Structure formats: C-alpha cells, structure tokens
Amino acid sequence: MLKIKDIHKSFGKNEILKGVDLSIDKGDVVVILGPSGSGKTTLLRCINFLETADSGKATFGDLQVDLHDASKKDIHTIRQKTAFVFQNYNLFNNKTAIENVTEGLIIGRKIPKAEANNIGKKALDKVGLSDKYDSYPSLLSGGQQQRVGIARAVALNPDIILFDEPTSALDPELVGEVLTVMKNIANEGTTMLVVTHEMSFAKDVANRVIFMDGGVVVEEGTPHDIFVSPKEERTKKFLKRVLPEDYTFYI
Amino acid sequence: MSEGLNYTFLIDTFFIALSGVPITLLVTIVALLFALPLGFLLALTRINQVPILNWFSRIYVSFVRGTPIIIQIFIVYASVPLILSLFFEKYNININVYNINPIWYAFIVFSFSTTAILIEVFRSALSTVNKGQLEAAQSVGLSNFQAYRRIVIPQALVVAMPNICTATVNLIKATSLGYAMSLQEITLKAKVAANVGYNYVEAYIDIFLVYIILCSLVEYGFKLYEKRLRRYKYVSA
Amino acid sequence: MEKYFDISYIWNSLPVLLPFLRVTFMVAGLSIIFGTFFGLILAVMKLGKSKVAQKIANFYTTVLRCTPSIVLLFLVYYGVPALADNFGLYLHDLNTAVFVVITFTLQFAAIMSEVIRSAYESIEKGQFEAAVSVGLSPLQAYRRIIFPQALVVGLPNFGNGLIALLQEGSLAYTIGLIDIVGKANLIIAANYNTHALEIFIALAVVYWVISILIEKFFGKLEKVFSKGKQTINTN
Ligand SMILES: Nc1ncnc2c1ncn2[C@@H]1O[C@H](COP(=O)(O)OP(=O)(O)O)[C@@H](O)[C@H]1O
Ligand SMILES: [Mg+2]
C-alpha cells in the first residue's frame, strides 16, 4: 500500500538519509527503532512532505510520486491520505479538543460541520476524552494532549498514521495511557508506522520492526527476528544498550 | 525647476549638520545620566508597591507615554519661564528669564520624558528576574541591598539593554524637536543654512544622513556592550 | 493686571480644538491602512527565502528606525515634489495631508513589519506542520491556525504602534496641516501668543485621553481574541 524507494536527504553537508526503502501493507503495524540522530524523524517527515527529500520515489496505492519534486496537488492528496502524530503533540493552541479533531475534516475535506462533529466526538470517545471536548490544549495534561493528537489523526480515517515518538515527551506515568490508546487502534486494523523507543509496544503490537542507524535500514523482520535473533552486529549492540540484561528471557 | 541637487551645498551643509552633533549628544547624555538612576529608583517603587510614589510613577509614565513629546516641549517651554519669572520677581533676583540658554529647557524636557520611558523599561526587566533569585540571594545571607546590587540588577540589566538602546535612539531622534526651543542641534543648524538659498531638499538629506549614521553607531555600540554583558552572564552562570 | 495663567482658556479651547481631531484621525487612519499593507509586504520579505529581499527589508527598517519623524516629514514634503519634477510631474500644490500620509505610511510600515515578523515567529513551526498534516492547504493553515494565534501576540504591539503613530503625527502641523495641533497654534496666534500654556495643556489632555482609550481598547480586544489562552470552564 505504501512503498518508499531509495530516499535520500541531506541537511547542508550532513547526509541524514542514505537510500532508505520501505514497504508497508494495509493493516501493518511497523515500528522503526534506532538510536537518536539516525534519521527516523526525517524519514517520517519526508513521507509527509514536511521536509523535501533530495531524491526518492513513493507509491501510494495507485499514486506514484517523486519525493523530490511532487506537485502541490499530489502533496495535498498524500497528506489527505495520511495523518501524523507529533512528538510534541502540536495541537492547535487556538482550538478546543473537538475543534482540533474536526479542523481537518471540515476545512480540509469539506465534510459538513454536524457530521464532522459526530466523527470528532467518536474519535475523542475512543481515546477516553469524552469529558474534554471543549477544553483548550493549555488545560490538558501531556498525556491528554497526545490522545487528542491521536484522535485528530484517527478521525481523518487515513490510509496510514505516522507516529513520531508519540510518548517520549511525556512524564513516565502518562506513557501508559497513550500506548493503550495506540494498541487499541492498532487492534482495529489501522495501518501504522511508528517511531518509538517503547520496546514493549514493538514486541507486543508490531508485526514488523525496522532497525535504522546512520541513515540506512540495518535490519528488518518480525519482532521475534529482531529481538530474539538479530543478525547484524549494530542491531545487537543497540538492543543490548536499550534492553534490560535479561529482557530476551521474557520473549 | 528640475535643476537637480546642488552638490556643493549638499556637501557643505553635511558638515554644518555634523557640527550640531555635540549639542545633540550633550542633551542625550545629560538626559540619560539623569533618567537612568531616577528611572530605576521609580521602577523599584512600582515593583515594591511603595504607597504614594508607586501611584505617582504610574500617572507620570502614563502622561509621558500618552502625550507627544512636542507638546511636552511646548508645555515646558511655556511654563518654566512663567514659573521662574514669578520666582525671580518674588525674591528680587535680577535675571531675565528670556536670556536663559535653551539647552537648559532641553535638559529638563528630555530628562523628564526619558525618565518615564526608563521606569517602564526597568519595571518590566525587574519583573522578569525570577523572584527566586532574590530569595536565594537572601538565603545565603546577602542583605536586600546586596542581593539587588549583585544578583538582581546584573540580570535585569541584560534584559533591559535592548530597550535602553531603543530609548536612547528615540531620545536622539527626539532632540530634533529642539528647534521648538531654538536649540542649536543638527536639524536646526542645517535648516538655517538652507534658508538662504531654499536648498531644503539638500539640507534634509544631510540631516537624514547624520541621524542614520549617529543612530547606527549607537545601536552598534549597544550591541557590542550587550554581547559583553551576555558573556559575563554565561561565565557567571 | 492680566493673569498669567487662566484655566478657563483650557475649557474654552476644547470645543474649538476637538472638531479638528477629524483631520488628525483621518490622516492617522489612512497611514495605518497603507502602512499595515506595506508593512505586511516588508514582513513577507523578511520572512521569505530570498536573501536579497531580506536585506532590502531590513535595511529599510533600520533606516526608518533611525530617522526622526520631523526629518522624514520634511524630506517627503520637499523631496517628493522635487523628485517628481524629474519625471515631469508637478506635485508642489498637492494637499499637505498627502505628504503627511506618505510620511507616516513609510514610518508605520517599518513598525508594522517588525510587529508582524515577531508575531509570526512566535508561533511554533509545528502548528503549521500539524495543519497541513491533517489536510489543510498551506493557505488554509495560515488563515485558520497561524493568523489567529499571531494576531493575539501582535495585538499589544499593534496598539503601541498606533499610539506612537498618533503622537508622531502631532508634528504634521510643521508642514502646515491644520489638525488639532495646527488649530491650537492658530488659536495661540490669534491670542497674540498669550495663554499658550493653557492651550497646550488642553492639547496634552486630549492626546492623553485618546492614548488611554486606545490602550484600554486593545487590552479588551486581546482578551476577546486570546482563545485557548484563558481558562475556560468545560461542560
Ligand atoms: N532541519 C534540520 N536542519 C539541519 N539538521 C537537521 C534538521 N533536522 C534534523 N537534522 C539532523 O538530522 C539528524 C537526524 O535527525 P532525526 O531525523 O531527527 O533523527 P532521529 O529522529 O532518528 O533522532 C540529526 O543529526 C539532526 O541534527
Ligand atoms: Mg526523532
């Protein structure tokens, strides 16, 4: 459903993405792991055209685009088919929770307001925020804000949702509520591409795990492949650093 | 009438305009010397809610910010001679108020308005310095005065510096209104030179250039000083 | 003996002066409209990618920041017709108000370009990114997400700019505009330069009151527009 081919991206002299390929099928939950600075965020942002890649191709269903010079129309189409959940939420500060969720529906997709409100309420209910429809972001906790962020993505009913470290700005005690919400929407069959450091999520929810380092995909496979029998030295090193000593025993 | 610019006049008058710079700077510096400490003290009365002074400062600031400087000049220039002549009459002092050098009026007006502007500058700078800073200083045994002098003021100064720069540039610009008091500064000197042959375009180009040079230099100077203050801030932090 | 200071001159001059606020406001209003528009263009230049455009806009702002209003006023008053002569245009009989509006448009544009730039820059990039990621077009993102937030940030500075413009505008009398200050000077001349102080005090009071009103108005406006900032009671 989504294929990325040979994507390159540099910032000045630093080449951040050095030819990454990616293929995601409908219903997949793909987790990208990798050390900080390995280009995970940049990859996600290039897919959503928040950055312009230097080269690379994307296939989206039957839409083929060049990631370097896509037309405005194609960019718009792809953004309509995708949704993005940001590390620092990026809720619209001047809009209530429900308005955050319906903004894309009403303005982007021209869905009538009443219908959009119904969709929006359902999405907020799904993330457990039935009592916060009319709250402005400044009055919500980090966990609540990120759940609105997820509701905003879900409400669009996109072909795929891109998550960029959705829990890493949260206080530890708030991580759980967001992961639970993500698990629920994954179980409903939502296609997801998730950058995260939450190994439990990768292990329990993902059907494929990609390990990135230094701007390339080092290794990919099922969670079992990656966590239990990684082939590449760099993968082993990384896992050793981020997993507790005896973690593999529990897999 | 399109005979173009009179370049000889343009160049000669540039130097005439330049000769007004010392007066402009003198007025600016005197006003600042007066306004910086007074503005700071009155800002403290605002921050610490000193009963009557706080209220006085508020009205004072509101008046200066609410009225054009030219009208403040008019008022001072019309009222001070009145008051002085009454005073001189009463005590039989034999001074003719109309012989007083206008620069004294300029000192009064620009100190008066700059003080008010600086009260606001210092008030907002002081209020950005965290209250915890003062408490921490006191907790290590500094007196209130020492805490202000060594901890609060240096930090507030860094915050206030860009606004003090703006206030200084605005003050220099405002001295161009000294013409209303016959103050021999940049604008008046060049304008008088232009009166002879109606070379107003040239004269105002010269005045314009002198102010741009003067203000750019002042801004540049402040930038350098700010850099030094900030470096000090990092080192001591 | 005649009194030095006669407070009745203040009261009596007010009804004569106040109608001339119309001229003051008209000149200020036009300068605000044109200046805001021109300032927006400058702000776009400053925020855009072109280094040349940035340089030009920043240079313009610096020059205007360094020029006293009265100098700019006379430069425009004498310079614009002289410049027009070169193109065969005769502008020496143009209404004084036109020169005043040109002057303060140029000045207000410089102020507004900074107000707009800093308001825009205070909005995090993520707001725009989130907006396009939910399928808004860039234009919709600016209009619905960036602009309303930047407006709140810029409003107090815009209000200060208005007050500054109004005060600098008091110099328009120097090139012969009969606004409230011009009228005040006419009254004083008619009194053979006596009781000038009272008339100036009346002027000061008028300006002071207007400035306070503008300040209060923008304070209210800010409250109205700052959605999402105030504490709002849910349910
Ligand atoms: N806009 C940018 N300009 C310059 N460098 C950037 C920019 N965005 C990211 N980088 C650099 O690209 C590298 C990879 O960043 P990122 O994709 O955020 O990595 P990750 O998400 O894997 O931690 C980092 O070294 C970062 O400094
Ligand atoms: Mg990242």
Side-chain angles (χ1 to χ4, degrees), chain C residues 1-27:
Chain C
M1 197 187 94
E2 211 203 346
K3 278 192 281 184
Y4 285 113
F5 185 85
D6 185 349
I7 203 163
S8 68
Y9 275 84
I10 299 180
W11 301 125
N12 295 338
S13 66
L14 279 174
V16 186
L17 287 175
L18 285 174
F20 286 82
L21 270 180
R22 262 219 347 254
V23 181
T24 304
F25 284 154
M26 188 200 66
V27 170

mmCIF file of all heavy atoms in Angstrom, chain C residues 1-27:
data_model
loop_
_atom_site.group_PDB
_atom_site.id
_atom_site.type_symbol
_atom_site.label_atom_id
_atom_site.label_comp_id
_atom_site.label_asym_id
_atom_site.label_seq_id
_atom_site.Cartn_x
_atom_site.Cartn_y
_atom_site.Cartn_z
ATOM 1 N N MET C 1 -4.080 93.927 36.402
ATOM 2 C CA MET C 1 -3.064 93.124 35.722
ATOM 3 C C MET C 1 -3.669 91.815 35.199
ATOM 4 O O MET C 1 -4.472 91.184 35.882
ATOM 5 C CB MET C 1 -1.927 92.819 36.712
ATOM 6 C CG MET C 1 -0.669 92.351 36.020
ATOM 7 S SD MET C 1 0.565 91.808 37.223
ATOM 8 C CE MET C 1 0.244 90.074 37.311
ATOM 9 N N GLU C 2 -3.272 91.443 34.043
ATOM 10 C CA GLU C 2 -3.808 90.221 33.471
ATOM 11 C C GLU C 2 -3.194 89.015 34.162
ATOM 12 O O GLU C 2 -2.034 89.035 34.558
ATOM 13 C CB GLU C 2 -3.481 90.168 31.974
ATOM 14 C CG GLU C 2 -4.555 89.434 31.201
ATOM 15 C CD GLU C 2 -4.006 88.891 29.893
ATOM 16 O OE1 GLU C 2 -2.917 89.311 29.488
ATOM 17 O OE2 GLU C 2 -4.673 88.030 29.315
ATOM 18 N N LYS C 3 -4.012 87.978 34.301
ATOM 19 C CA LYS C 3 -3.493 86.772 34.938
ATOM 20 C C LYS C 3 -2.512 86.075 34.001
ATOM 21 O O LYS C 3 -2.688 86.044 32.792
ATOM 22 C CB LYS C 3 -4.649 85.822 35.263
ATOM 23 C CG LYS C 3 -5.362 86.191 36.559
ATOM 24 C CD LYS C 3 -6.285 85.068 37.000
ATOM 25 C CE LYS C 3 -7.578 85.077 36.218
ATOM 26 N NZ LYS C 3 -8.528 84.070 36.690
ATOM 27 N N TYR C 4 -1.452 85.497 34.591
ATOM 28 C CA TYR C 4 -0.506 84.729 33.785
ATOM 29 C C TYR C 4 -1.161 83.458 33.263
ATOM 30 O O TYR C 4 -0.972 83.049 32.143
ATOM 31 C CB TYR C 4 0.707 84.319 34.634
ATOM 32 C CG TYR C 4 1.659 85.449 34.909
ATOM 33 C CD1 TYR C 4 1.833 85.941 36.202
ATOM 34 C CD2 TYR C 4 2.389 86.010 33.872
ATOM 35 C CE1 TYR C 4 2.722 86.956 36.448
ATOM 36 C CE2 TYR C 4 3.281 87.031 34.117
ATOM 37 C CZ TYR C 4 3.439 87.504 35.402
ATOM 38 O OH TYR C 4 4.318 88.507 35.649
ATOM 39 N N PHE C 5 -1.887 82.842 34.189
ATOM 40 C CA PHE C 5 -2.445 81.534 33.867
ATOM 41 C C PHE C 5 -3.936 81.563 34.133
ATOM 42 O O PHE C 5 -4.370 81.864 35.239
ATOM 43 C CB PHE C 5 -1.775 80.464 34.734
ATOM 44 C CG PHE C 5 -2.198 79.069 34.384
ATOM 45 C CD1 PHE C 5 -1.556 78.384 33.351
ATOM 46 C CD2 PHE C 5 -3.232 78.447 35.067
ATOM 47 C CE1 PHE C 5 -1.947 77.099 33.016
ATOM 48 C CE2 PHE C 5 -3.619 77.159 34.724
ATOM 49 C CZ PHE C 5 -2.976 76.487 33.703
ATOM 50 N N ASP C 6 -4.720 81.291 33.115
ATOM 51 C CA ASP C 6 -6.173 81.369 33.259
ATOM 52 C C ASP C 6 -6.784 80.053 32.793
ATOM 53 O O ASP C 6 -6.834 79.758 31.598
ATOM 54 C CB ASP C 6 -6.696 82.532 32.416
ATOM 55 C CG ASP C 6 -8.192 82.727 32.621
ATOM 56 O OD1 ASP C 6 -8.824 81.837 33.233
ATOM 57 O OD2 ASP C 6 -8.698 83.759 32.176
ATOM 58 N N ILE C 7 -7.237 79.272 33.759
ATOM 59 C CA ILE C 7 -7.680 77.913 33.458
ATOM 60 C C ILE C 7 -8.884 77.887 32.515
ATOM 61 O O ILE C 7 -9.105 76.920 31.792
ATOM 62 C CB ILE C 7 -7.980 77.151 34.777
ATOM 63 C CG1 ILE C 7 -7.885 75.651 34.546
ATOM 64 C CG2 ILE C 7 -9.337 77.531 35.323
ATOM 65 C CD1 ILE C 7 -7.752 74.865 35.816
ATOM 66 N N SER C 8 -9.621 78.989 32.459
ATOM 67 C CA SER C 8 -10.803 78.986 31.596
ATOM 68 C C SER C 8 -10.404 78.850 30.123
ATOM 69 O O SER C 8 -11.186 78.367 29.307
ATOM 70 C CB SER C 8 -11.603 80.275 31.792
ATOM 71 O OG SER C 8 -10.879 81.367 31.288
ATOM 72 N N TYR C 9 -9.167 79.226 29.804
ATOM 73 C CA TYR C 9 -8.708 79.056 28.418
ATOM 74 C C TYR C 9 -8.677 77.584 28.021
ATOM 75 O O TYR C 9 -8.887 77.237 26.866
ATOM 76 C CB TYR C 9 -7.313 79.671 28.242
ATOM 77 C CG TYR C 9 -7.368 81.151 27.954
ATOM 78 C CD1 TYR C 9 -7.467 82.072 29.002
ATOM 79 C CD2 TYR C 9 -7.339 81.619 26.653
ATOM 80 C CE1 TYR C 9 -7.530 83.425 28.748
ATOM 81 C CE2 TYR C 9 -7.404 82.969 26.378
ATOM 82 C CZ TYR C 9 -7.497 83.877 27.428
ATOM 83 O OH TYR C 9 -7.561 85.204 27.164
ATOM 84 N N ILE C 10 -8.389 76.733 28.999
ATOM 85 C CA ILE C 10 -8.378 75.291 28.699
ATOM 86 C C ILE C 10 -9.773 74.837 28.306
ATOM 87 O O ILE C 10 -9.980 74.232 27.256
ATOM 88 C CB ILE C 10 -7.875 74.480 29.914
ATOM 89 C CG1 ILE C 10 -6.447 74.888 30.259
ATOM 90 C CG2 ILE C 10 -7.940 72.981 29.627
ATOM 91 C CD1 ILE C 10 -5.850 74.150 31.435
ATOM 92 N N TRP C 11 -10.756 75.160 29.149
ATOM 93 C CA TRP C 11 -12.131 74.733 28.874
ATOM 94 C C TRP C 11 -12.652 75.327 27.570
ATOM 95 O O TRP C 11 -13.300 74.647 26.791
ATOM 96 C CB TRP C 11 -13.067 75.129 30.024
ATOM 97 C CG TRP C 11 -12.654 74.531 31.324
ATOM 98 C CD1 TRP C 11 -12.406 75.190 32.478
ATOM 99 C CD2 TRP C 11 -12.416 73.146 31.585
ATOM 100 N NE1 TRP C 11 -12.012 74.314 33.451
ATOM 101 C CE2 TRP C 11 -12.011 73.046 32.926
ATOM 102 C CE3 TRP C 11 -12.492 71.988 30.818
ATOM 103 C CZ2 TRP C 11 -11.685 71.834 33.519
ATOM 104 C CZ3 TRP C 11 -12.168 70.782 31.406
ATOM 105 C CH2 TRP C 11 -11.768 70.708 32.741
ATOM 106 N N ASN C 12 -12.347 76.595 27.379
ATOM 107 C CA ASN C 12 -12.897 77.259 26.200
ATOM 108 C C ASN C 12 -12.255 76.781 24.901
ATOM 109 O O ASN C 12 -12.886 76.825 23.850
ATOM 110 C CB ASN C 12 -12.728 78.775 26.324
ATOM 111 C CG ASN C 12 -13.561 79.314 27.474
ATOM 112 O OD1 ASN C 12 -14.527 78.678 27.899
ATOM 113 N ND2 ASN C 12 -13.171 80.472 28.006
ATOM 114 N N SER C 13 -11.014 76.328 24.988
ATOM 115 C CA SER C 13 -10.370 75.917 23.741
ATOM 116 C C SER C 13 -10.807 74.518 23.313
ATOM 117 O O SER C 13 -10.810 74.198 22.124
ATOM 118 C CB SER C 13 -8.851 75.966 23.887
ATOM 119 O OG SER C 13 -8.428 75.005 24.822
ATOM 120 N N LEU C 14 -11.197 73.680 24.284
ATOM 121 C CA LEU C 14 -11.528 72.295 23.935
ATOM 122 C C LEU C 14 -12.596 72.172 22.841
ATOM 123 O O LEU C 14 -12.394 71.444 21.875
ATOM 124 C CB LEU C 14 -11.938 71.515 25.196
ATOM 125 C CG LEU C 14 -10.752 71.011 26.021
ATOM 126 C CD1 LEU C 14 -11.228 70.378 27.327
ATOM 127 C CD2 LEU C 14 -9.905 70.027 25.242
ATOM 128 N N PRO C 15 -13.732 72.887 22.975
ATOM 129 C CA PRO C 15 -14.752 72.745 21.920
ATOM 130 C C PRO C 15 -14.260 73.218 20.550
ATOM 131 O O PRO C 15 -14.745 72.744 19.528
ATOM 132 C CB PRO C 15 -15.901 73.639 22.400
ATOM 133 C CG PRO C 15 -15.586 74.036 23.783
ATOM 134 C CD PRO C 15 -14.155 73.799 24.046
ATOM 135 N N VAL C 16 -13.304 74.129 20.548
ATOM 136 C CA VAL C 16 -12.767 74.591 19.264
ATOM 137 C C VAL C 16 -11.785 73.564 18.702
ATOM 138 O O VAL C 16 -11.738 73.320 17.498
ATOM 139 C CB VAL C 16 -12.051 75.951 19.438
ATOM 140 C CG1 VAL C 16 -11.636 76.500 18.088
ATOM 141 C CG2 VAL C 16 -12.946 76.927 20.182
ATOM 142 N N LEU C 17 -11.022 72.961 19.602
ATOM 143 C CA LEU C 17 -9.985 72.022 19.157
ATOM 144 C C LEU C 17 -10.562 70.684 18.689
ATOM 145 O O LEU C 17 -10.165 70.155 17.657
ATOM 146 C CB LEU C 17 -8.997 71.760 20.303
ATOM 147 C CG LEU C 17 -8.021 72.876 20.649
ATOM 148 C CD1 LEU C 17 -7.199 72.489 21.874
ATOM 149 C CD2 LEU C 17 -7.099 73.156 19.465
ATOM 150 N N LEU C 18 -11.494 70.164 19.473
ATOM 151 C CA LEU C 18 -11.934 68.785 19.245
ATOM 152 C C LEU C 18 -12.397 68.481 17.816
ATOM 153 O O LEU C 18 -12.072 67.409 17.296
ATOM 154 C CB LEU C 18 -13.007 68.393 20.268
ATOM 155 C CG LEU C 18 -12.428 68.134 21.666
ATOM 156 C CD1 LEU C 18 -13.531 67.888 22.682
ATOM 157 C CD2 LEU C 18 -11.458 66.955 21.644
ATOM 158 N N PRO C 19 -13.141 69.386 17.152
ATOM 159 C CA PRO C 19 -13.538 69.054 15.774
ATOM 160 C C PRO C 19 -12.343 68.760 14.863
ATOM 161 O O PRO C 19 -12.470 67.993 13.905
ATOM 162 C CB PRO C 19 -14.269 70.309 15.304
ATOM 163 C CG PRO C 19 -14.748 70.955 16.548
ATOM 164 C CD PRO C 19 -13.729 70.656 17.597
ATOM 165 N N PHE C 20 -11.183 69.332 15.198
ATOM 166 C CA PHE C 20 -10.024 69.127 14.327
ATOM 167 C C PHE C 20 -9.362 67.766 14.546
ATOM 168 O O PHE C 20 -8.447 67.395 13.828
ATOM 169 C CB PHE C 20 -9.022 70.269 14.504
ATOM 170 C CG PHE C 20 -9.505 71.529 13.851
ATOM 171 C CD1 PHE C 20 -10.401 72.363 14.505
ATOM 172 C CD2 PHE C 20 -9.121 71.831 12.562
ATOM 173 C CE1 PHE C 20 -10.883 73.489 13.889
ATOM 174 C CE2 PHE C 20 -9.610 72.960 11.934
ATOM 175 C CZ PHE C 20 -10.498 73.802 12.604
ATOM 176 N N LEU C 21 -9.861 67.030 15.526
ATOM 177 C CA LEU C 21 -9.425 65.645 15.669
ATOM 178 C C LEU C 21 -9.778 64.853 14.420
ATOM 179 O O LEU C 21 -9.141 63.853 14.101
ATOM 180 C CB LEU C 21 -10.096 64.995 16.879
ATOM 181 C CG LEU C 21 -9.376 65.096 18.218
ATOM 182 C CD1 LEU C 21 -10.184 64.389 19.287
ATOM 183 C CD2 LEU C 21 -7.986 64.472 18.127
ATOM 184 N N ARG C 22 -10.840 65.304 13.730
ATOM 185 C CA ARG C 22 -11.242 64.615 12.494
ATOM 186 C C ARG C 22 -10.065 64.526 11.532
ATOM 187 O O ARG C 22 -9.793 63.482 10.963
ATOM 188 C CB ARG C 22 -12.401 65.372 11.832
ATOM 189 C CG ARG C 22 -13.738 64.804 12.142
ATOM 190 C CD ARG C 22 -14.717 64.795 10.961
ATOM 191 N NE ARG C 22 -14.357 65.589 9.804
ATOM 192 C CZ ARG C 22 -14.939 66.759 9.489
ATOM 193 N NH1 ARG C 22 -15.895 67.244 10.256
ATOM 194 N NH2 ARG C 22 -14.578 67.396 8.415
ATOM 195 N N VAL C 23 -9.369 65.650 11.363
ATOM 196 C CA VAL C 23 -8.211 65.675 10.456
ATOM 197 C C VAL C 23 -7.123 64.745 10.988
ATOM 198 O O VAL C 23 -6.555 63.930 10.257
ATOM 199 C CB VAL C 23 -7.668 67.107 10.324
ATOM 200 C CG1 VAL C 23 -6.480 67.127 9.370
ATOM 201 C CG2 VAL C 23 -8.762 68.047 9.851
ATOM 202 N N THR C 24 -6.853 64.869 12.302
ATOM 203 C CA THR C 24 -5.844 64.019 12.927
ATOM 204 C C THR C 24 -6.146 62.543 12.676
ATOM 205 O O THR C 24 -5.286 61.775 12.253
ATOM 206 C CB THR C 24 -5.799 64.296 14.441
ATOM 207 O OG1 THR C 24 -5.556 65.685 14.637
ATOM 208 C CG2 THR C 24 -4.712 63.485 15.118
ATOM 209 N N PHE C 25 -7.394 62.169 12.923
ATOM 210 C CA PHE C 25 -7.777 60.763 12.773
ATOM 211 C C PHE C 25 -7.763 60.318 11.320
ATOM 212 O O PHE C 25 -7.399 59.185 11.017
ATOM 213 C CB PHE C 25 -9.169 60.521 13.373
ATOM 214 C CG PHE C 25 -9.154 60.476 14.870
ATOM 215 C CD1 PHE C 25 -10.289 60.802 15.602
ATOM 216 C CD2 PHE C 25 -8.019 60.100 15.558
ATOM 217 C CE1 PHE C 25 -10.285 60.761 16.987
ATOM 218 C CE2 PHE C 25 -7.994 60.054 16.948
ATOM 219 C CZ PHE C 25 -9.134 60.390 17.656
ATOM 220 N N MET C 26 -8.168 61.202 10.429
ATOM 221 C CA MET C 26 -8.207 60.815 9.026
ATOM 222 C C MET C 26 -6.799 60.522 8.517
ATOM 223 O O MET C 26 -6.550 59.502 7.873
ATOM 224 C CB MET C 26 -8.851 61.913 8.195
ATOM 225 C CG MET C 26 -9.093 61.501 6.770
ATOM 226 S SD MET C 26 -9.309 62.939 5.703
ATOM 227 C CE MET C 26 -7.697 63.678 5.770
ATOM 228 N N VAL C 27 -5.890 61.418 8.841
ATOM 229 C CA VAL C 27 -4.504 61.244 8.406
ATOM 230 C C VAL C 27 -3.914 59.979 9.036
ATOM 231 O O VAL C 27 -3.276 59.164 8.367
ATOM 232 C CB VAL C 27 -3.680 62.492 8.790
ATOM 233 C CG1 VAL C 27 -2.213 62.232 8.575
ATOM 234 C CG2 VAL C 27 -4.126 63.685 7.978
#
